Amino acid sequence: MNQNLATTLFPEWTTTPPKFLRTINKVIRRRPLRFRLERAVDGRIDMTTIEQRVHLMELLTVVVQYEVAGDVVELGTFEGKTAVLLTRVLQELGSPKKLHVYDAFDVGYFLGEEADVLALLRQNFAGAGARLPEIHKGYFEQTLPAELPETVCFAHLDVGIGPHPDRHKGVMLKCLESIYPRLAPGGICLLMDYNDGSFSDVADGHPGVRQATDEFLLNKPEKAVTLYGGQGAMGYFRKSGMPAPQKAVEREHMAVR
Ligand SMILES: C[S@@+](CC[C@H](N)C(=O)[O-])C[C@H]1O[C@@H](n2cnc3c(N)ncnc32)[C@H](O)[C@@H]1O
Protein backbone atom coordinates (compact mmCIF):
# COMPACT_ATOMS: atom_id res chain seq x y z
CA MET A 1 0.00 0.00 0.00
CA ASN A 2 1.33 3.39 -1.01
CA GLN A 3 1.45 5.37 2.25
CA ASN A 4 1.88 8.53 0.21
CA LEU A 5 -1.91 8.77 0.08
CA ALA A 6 -1.81 9.95 3.69
CA THR A 7 0.06 13.10 2.66
CA THR A 8 -0.96 13.70 -0.94
CA LEU A 9 -4.72 13.18 -1.24
CA PHE A 10 -5.53 16.75 -0.13
CA PRO A 11 -3.26 19.82 -0.32
CA GLU A 12 -3.62 20.50 3.43
CA TRP A 13 -2.30 16.99 4.20
CA THR A 14 1.18 17.85 2.96
CA THR A 15 4.05 17.41 5.39
CA THR A 16 6.59 19.45 3.44
CA PRO A 17 7.49 22.50 5.56
CA PRO A 18 7.86 25.90 3.85
CA LYS A 19 11.37 26.87 2.65
CA PHE A 20 12.24 29.11 5.61
CA LEU A 21 11.47 26.26 8.05
CA ARG A 22 13.57 23.86 6.01
CA THR A 23 16.46 26.33 6.27
CA ILE A 24 16.07 26.62 10.05
CA ASN A 25 15.79 22.82 10.28
CA LYS A 26 19.08 22.38 8.42
CA VAL A 27 20.80 24.32 11.19
CA ILE A 28 19.05 23.00 14.29
CA ARG A 29 18.97 19.34 13.33
CA ARG A 30 22.77 19.23 13.80
CA ARG A 31 24.37 18.22 17.07
CA PRO A 32 24.11 19.22 19.86
CA LEU A 33 20.56 20.54 19.28
CA ARG A 34 19.03 17.78 17.14
CA PHE A 35 15.63 19.42 16.80
CA ARG A 36 13.26 19.81 13.88
CA LEU A 37 10.43 22.33 13.44
CA GLU A 38 7.19 21.12 11.89
CA ARG A 39 3.71 22.45 11.29
CA ALA A 40 1.44 22.15 14.32
CA VAL A 41 -1.81 20.31 13.57
CA ASP A 42 -4.87 22.55 13.87
CA GLY A 43 -7.42 20.17 15.42
CA ARG A 44 -10.42 22.14 14.12
CA ILE A 45 -9.27 22.19 10.50
CA ASP A 46 -6.94 19.25 9.89
CA MET A 47 -9.16 16.75 11.78
CA THR A 48 -6.44 14.04 11.44
CA THR A 49 -2.68 13.69 11.72
CA ILE A 50 -0.52 11.80 9.22
CA GLU A 51 0.04 9.03 11.79
CA GLN A 52 -3.71 8.58 12.27
CA ARG A 53 -4.20 8.38 8.50
CA VAL A 54 -1.45 5.78 8.17
CA HIS A 55 -3.17 3.67 10.85
CA LEU A 56 -6.48 3.97 8.99
CA MET A 57 -4.80 2.74 5.82
CA GLU A 58 -2.81 -0.07 7.37
CA LEU A 59 -5.56 -1.50 9.58
CA LEU A 60 -8.04 -1.47 6.69
CA THR A 61 -5.42 -3.21 4.55
CA VAL A 62 -5.04 -5.91 7.21
CA VAL A 63 -8.77 -6.76 7.34
CA VAL A 64 -8.95 -6.88 3.54
CA GLN A 65 -5.85 -9.09 3.25
CA TYR A 66 -7.08 -11.39 6.01
CA GLU A 67 -10.39 -11.65 4.17
CA VAL A 68 -12.49 -10.59 7.15
CA ALA A 69 -16.17 -10.72 6.15
CA GLY A 70 -18.34 -7.63 5.74
CA ASP A 71 -18.32 -4.03 4.59
CA VAL A 72 -16.54 -0.90 5.81
CA VAL A 73 -18.35 1.81 7.78
CA GLU A 74 -17.47 5.28 8.99
CA LEU A 75 -19.49 6.93 11.74
CA GLY A 76 -18.67 10.66 11.59
CA THR A 77 -17.62 11.68 8.11
CA PHE A 78 -18.07 15.45 7.77
CA GLU A 79 -16.76 16.50 4.31
CA GLY A 80 -15.39 13.02 3.68
CA LYS A 81 -11.60 13.27 3.81
CA THR A 82 -10.98 10.10 5.84
CA ALA A 83 -13.79 8.42 3.88
CA VAL A 84 -11.97 9.28 0.63
CA LEU A 85 -8.79 7.77 2.09
CA LEU A 86 -10.59 4.54 3.05
CA THR A 87 -12.12 4.30 -0.43
CA ARG A 88 -8.80 4.85 -2.17
CA VAL A 89 -7.30 2.06 -0.05
CA LEU A 90 -10.12 -0.31 -1.09
CA GLN A 91 -9.64 0.70 -4.72
CA GLU A 92 -5.87 0.21 -4.61
CA LEU A 93 -6.38 -3.24 -3.09
CA GLY A 94 -8.98 -4.08 -5.76
CA SER A 95 -11.46 -4.88 -2.99
CA PRO A 96 -15.19 -5.03 -3.79
CA LYS A 97 -16.05 -4.12 -0.17
CA LYS A 98 -18.48 -1.22 0.10
CA LEU A 99 -18.00 1.88 2.27
CA HIS A 100 -21.05 3.19 4.17
CA VAL A 101 -20.82 6.63 5.78
CA TYR A 102 -23.07 7.97 8.54
CA ASP A 103 -23.41 11.61 9.59
CA ALA A 104 -26.02 14.28 10.17
CA PHE A 105 -23.94 16.50 7.84
CA ASP A 106 -25.21 19.57 9.69
CA VAL A 107 -22.02 20.71 11.46
CA GLY A 108 -19.88 23.04 9.35
CA TYR A 109 -16.85 23.45 11.64
CA PHE A 110 -14.38 25.83 9.94
CA LEU A 111 -16.59 25.91 6.81
CA GLY A 112 -19.28 27.87 8.65
CA GLU A 113 -22.90 27.10 9.51
CA GLU A 114 -24.21 27.66 6.00
CA ALA A 115 -21.84 25.18 4.36
CA ASP A 116 -23.31 22.43 2.19
CA VAL A 117 -21.26 19.64 3.77
CA LEU A 118 -22.70 16.90 1.56
CA ALA A 119 -21.91 18.84 -1.63
CA LEU A 120 -18.33 19.24 -0.42
CA LEU A 121 -18.10 15.54 0.35
CA ARG A 122 -19.18 14.70 -3.22
CA GLN A 123 -16.65 17.22 -4.54
CA ASN A 124 -13.85 15.68 -2.43
CA PHE A 125 -14.64 12.19 -3.71
CA ALA A 126 -14.74 13.32 -7.34
CA GLY A 127 -11.50 15.31 -6.99
CA ALA A 128 -9.66 12.31 -5.53
CA GLY A 129 -10.95 9.79 -8.07
CA ALA A 130 -12.77 7.84 -5.35
CA ARG A 131 -16.08 6.01 -5.91
CA LEU A 132 -18.92 7.52 -3.88
CA PRO A 133 -19.85 5.61 -0.70
CA GLU A 134 -23.37 4.72 0.45
CA ILE A 135 -24.39 7.90 2.26
CA HIS A 136 -26.64 7.56 5.35
CA LYS A 137 -27.65 11.09 6.30
CA GLY A 138 -29.19 11.57 9.73
CA TYR A 139 -28.54 11.45 13.45
CA PHE A 140 -27.10 8.16 14.67
CA GLU A 141 -30.09 7.93 16.98
CA GLN A 142 -32.18 7.45 13.78
CA THR A 143 -29.83 5.64 11.40
CA LEU A 144 -28.14 3.17 13.81
CA PRO A 145 -28.25 0.24 13.92
CA ALA A 146 -31.03 -0.14 11.32
CA GLU A 147 -29.04 1.18 8.35
CA LEU A 148 -25.80 -0.66 9.13
CA PRO A 149 -24.74 -3.50 6.86
CA GLU A 150 -25.44 -6.95 8.29
CA THR A 151 -21.69 -7.61 8.76
CA VAL A 152 -18.91 -5.07 9.26
CA CYS A 153 -15.20 -5.80 8.79
CA PHE A 154 -13.88 -2.33 9.65
CA ALA A 155 -15.47 0.59 11.47
CA HIS A 156 -13.99 4.06 11.88
CA LEU A 157 -15.62 5.99 14.76
CA ASP A 158 -14.93 9.72 14.61
CA VAL A 159 -17.84 11.56 16.20
CA GLY A 160 -16.35 14.52 18.08
CA ILE A 161 -18.24 17.77 17.68
CA GLY A 162 -16.91 19.99 20.43
CA PRO A 163 -15.98 20.32 24.08
CA HIS A 164 -18.82 18.27 25.59
CA PRO A 165 -17.30 15.06 27.04
CA ASP A 166 -20.61 13.70 28.36
CA ARG A 167 -22.40 14.22 25.06
CA HIS A 168 -19.43 12.74 23.17
CA LYS A 169 -19.44 9.73 25.51
CA GLY A 170 -23.17 9.20 24.95
CA VAL A 171 -22.78 9.30 21.15
CA MET A 172 -19.79 6.94 21.31
CA LEU A 173 -21.77 4.46 23.43
CA LYS A 174 -24.60 4.51 20.89
CA CYS A 175 -22.07 3.85 18.08
CA LEU A 176 -20.29 1.04 19.94
CA GLU A 177 -23.55 -0.68 20.94
CA SER A 178 -24.67 -0.58 17.29
CA ILE A 179 -21.40 -1.68 15.71
CA TYR A 180 -20.18 -4.37 18.10
CA PRO A 181 -22.78 -7.10 17.34
CA ARG A 182 -22.22 -6.64 13.58
CA LEU A 183 -18.44 -6.57 13.70
CA ALA A 184 -17.14 -9.80 12.18
CA PRO A 185 -14.64 -11.93 14.12
CA GLY A 186 -11.24 -10.43 13.29
CA GLY A 187 -12.90 -7.11 12.36
CA ILE A 188 -11.42 -3.82 13.51
CA CYS A 189 -13.06 -0.88 15.25
CA LEU A 190 -10.84 2.19 14.99
CA LEU A 191 -11.40 4.82 17.67
CA MET A 192 -10.39 8.33 16.66
CA ASP A 193 -9.21 10.46 19.64
CA TYR A 194 -8.91 7.49 22.05
CA ASN A 195 -6.34 8.74 24.56
CA ASP A 196 -5.17 6.75 27.60
CA GLY A 197 -2.28 9.10 28.37
CA SER A 198 0.40 6.76 26.97
CA PHE A 199 1.88 9.69 25.05
CA SER A 200 2.16 12.42 27.65
CA ASP A 201 2.65 15.29 25.19
CA VAL A 202 -0.74 14.68 23.53
CA ALA A 203 -3.51 16.50 25.38
CA ASP A 204 -6.78 14.58 25.82
CA GLY A 205 -9.24 16.87 24.06
CA HIS A 206 -11.91 14.15 23.84
CA PRO A 207 -12.05 12.20 27.13
CA GLY A 208 -15.55 10.89 26.25
CA VAL A 209 -14.05 8.48 23.69
CA ARG A 210 -11.98 6.54 26.20
CA GLN A 211 -14.65 6.72 28.92
CA ALA A 212 -17.25 5.22 26.57
CA THR A 213 -14.93 2.61 25.05
CA ASP A 214 -13.47 1.33 28.32
CA GLU A 215 -16.91 1.21 29.93
CA PHE A 216 -18.37 -0.62 26.92
CA LEU A 217 -15.54 -3.18 26.70
CA LEU A 218 -15.49 -3.86 30.45
CA ASN A 219 -17.50 -7.09 30.18
CA LYS A 220 -16.19 -8.09 26.72
CA PRO A 221 -13.15 -10.17 25.75
CA GLU A 222 -11.65 -7.29 23.71
CA LYS A 223 -9.55 -4.47 25.13
CA ALA A 224 -8.68 -1.19 23.41
CA VAL A 225 -5.12 -0.77 22.15
CA THR A 226 -3.56 2.68 22.00
CA LEU A 227 -1.84 3.73 18.77
CA TYR A 228 0.78 6.40 18.30
CA GLY A 229 -1.03 9.28 16.62
CA GLY A 230 1.69 11.94 16.47
CA GLN A 231 0.04 15.17 17.58
CA GLY A 232 -3.30 13.37 17.89
CA ALA A 233 -4.66 10.32 19.69
CA MET A 234 -6.13 7.06 18.45
CA GLY A 235 -6.90 3.50 19.50
CA TYR A 236 -8.64 0.38 18.24
CA PHE A 237 -9.92 -3.03 19.21
CA ARG A 238 -10.16 -6.20 17.16
CA LYS A 239 -13.24 -8.40 17.51
CA SER A 240 -12.21 -11.73 18.95
CA GLY A 241 -13.22 -15.14 17.72
CA MET A 242 -11.43 -16.01 14.52
CA PRO A 243 -7.98 -17.36 13.80
CA ALA A 244 -6.32 -15.66 10.82
CA PRO A 245 -7.10 -17.45 7.54
CA GLN A 246 -4.30 -19.74 6.41
CA LYS A 247 -3.72 -17.91 3.12
CA ALA A 248 -2.97 -14.59 4.82
CA VAL A 249 -0.70 -16.21 7.40
CA GLU A 250 1.28 -17.91 4.65
CA ARG A 251 1.62 -14.63 2.77
CA GLU A 252 2.97 -12.96 5.93
CA HIS A 253 5.51 -15.74 6.50
CA MET A 254 6.70 -15.49 2.92
CA ALA A 255 7.18 -11.73 3.33
CA VAL A 256 9.51 -12.10 6.35
CA ARG A 257 11.65 -14.82 4.76
C1 LIG B 1 -14.69 15.11 13.54
S1 LIG B 1 -16.01 15.01 12.39
C2 LIG B 1 -15.55 13.71 11.32
C3 LIG B 1 -14.32 14.03 10.51
C4 LIG B 1 -13.97 13.05 9.40
N1 LIG B 1 -13.89 11.67 9.86
C5 LIG B 1 -12.63 13.42 8.76
O1 LIG B 1 -11.58 13.22 9.40
O2 LIG B 1 -12.62 13.94 7.65
C6 LIG B 1 -17.29 14.37 13.36
C7 LIG B 1 -18.63 14.21 12.65
O3 LIG B 1 -19.51 13.47 13.50
C8 LIG B 1 -20.83 13.88 13.22
N2 LIG B 1 -21.69 13.55 14.36
C9 LIG B 1 -21.43 13.73 15.68
N3 LIG B 1 -22.47 13.31 16.42
C10 LIG B 1 -23.42 12.84 15.56
C11 LIG B 1 -24.72 12.25 15.71
N4 LIG B 1 -25.26 12.07 16.91
N5 LIG B 1 -25.39 11.88 14.59
C12 LIG B 1 -24.83 12.05 13.36
N6 LIG B 1 -23.61 12.61 13.15
C13 LIG B 1 -22.92 13.01 14.23
C14 LIG B 1 -20.74 15.37 12.98
O4 LIG B 1 -21.79 15.82 12.17
C15 LIG B 1 -19.34 15.52 12.32
O5 LIG B 1 -19.45 15.68 10.93
Side-chain angles (χ1 to χ4, degrees):
M1 177 53 53
N2 182 359
Q3 293 195 342
N4 252 355
L5 283 180
T7 58
T8 55
L9 263 184
F10 299 101
E12 57 274 35
W13 282 7
T14 182
T15 46
T16 314
K19 195 161 180 254
F20 78 97
L21 272 192
R22 293 205 297 274
T23 311
I24 296 173
N25 278 341
K26 257 189 194 165
V27 177
I28 63 170
R29 78 177 174 210
R30 296 196 194 119
R31 286 200 192 99
L33 287 171
R34 301 183 88 172
F35 275 101
R36 191 173 77 112
L37 293 175
E38 59 183 13
R39 194 175 141 259
V41 168
D42 182 337
R44 292 162 311 156
I45 295 175
D46 297 337
M47 302 274 165
T48 49
T49 65
I50 173 170
E51 291 84 354
Q52 291 168 331
R53 285 174 227 138
V54 167
H55 291 309
L56 278 167
M57 296 174 68
E58 291 304 314
L59 289 171
L60 177 58
T61 301
V62 167
V63 298
V64 171
Q65 288 181 337
Y66 275 66
E67 296 164 9
V68 178
D71 282 327
V72 179
V73 304
E74 180 172 75
L75 311 185
T77 295
F78 183 43
E79 44 156 7
K81 290 200 170 124
T82 46
V84 165
L85 182 67
L86 295 172
T87 304
R88 285 291 304 269
V89 171
L90 291 176
Q91 287 177 197
E92 296 229 347
L93 294 170
S95 170
K97 286 183 183 298
K98 256 193 187 167
L99 172 68
H100 294 253
V101 299
Y102 301 78
D103 201 302
F105 297 110
D106 64 352
V107 182
Y109 295 103
F110 58 92
L111 301 170
E113 279 183 21
E114 301 304 312
D116 185 342
V117 181
L118 255 180
L120 269 160
L121 176 143
R122 291 200 170 91
Q123 211 173 296
N124 282 333
F125 270 79
R131 62 177 178 246
L132 260 190
E134 291 265 333
I135 299 170
H136 302 262
K137 179 174 161 51
Y139 290 105
F140 302 141
E141 293 74 9
Q142 288 135 21
T143 56
L144 303 181
E147 294 185 25
L148 284 173
E150 201 67 23
T151 313
V152 172
C153 65
F154 182 96
H156 174 213
L157 274 48
D158 186 9
V159 300
I161 42 169
H164 309 287
D166 289 342
R167 192 159 138 215
H168 199 166
K169 179 182 173 187
V171 176
M172 276 298 292
L173 279 171
K174 169 76 186 164
C175 293
L176 289 162
E177 280 156 8
S178 308
I179 287 290
Y180 187 85
R182 300 194 185 213
L183 200 58
I188 280 179
C189 182
L190 219 151
L191 310 151
M192 184 60 78
D193 301 318
Y194 180 93
N195 191 338
D196 69 354
S198 297
F199 303 101
S200 53
D201 57 335
V202 181
D204 189 2
H206 302 278
V209 176
R210 182 175 173 224
Q211 288 165 15
T213 307
D214 290 359
E215 190 176 306
F216 180 78
L217 292 179
L218 204 57
N219 58 357
K220 314 263 184 317
E222 298 84 6
K223 290 288 158 275
V225 175
T226 302
L227 294 164
Y228 175 67
Q231 295 172 52
M234 193 175 227
Y236 78 100
F237 67 88
R238 186 194 305 270
K239 186 82 177 281
S240 64
M242 186 185 70
Q246 201 50 33
K247 224 164 59 183
V249 173
E250 278 162 14
R251 263 202 305 268
E252 216 165 71
H253 282 193
M254 280 164 66
V256 292
R257 254 184 234 140

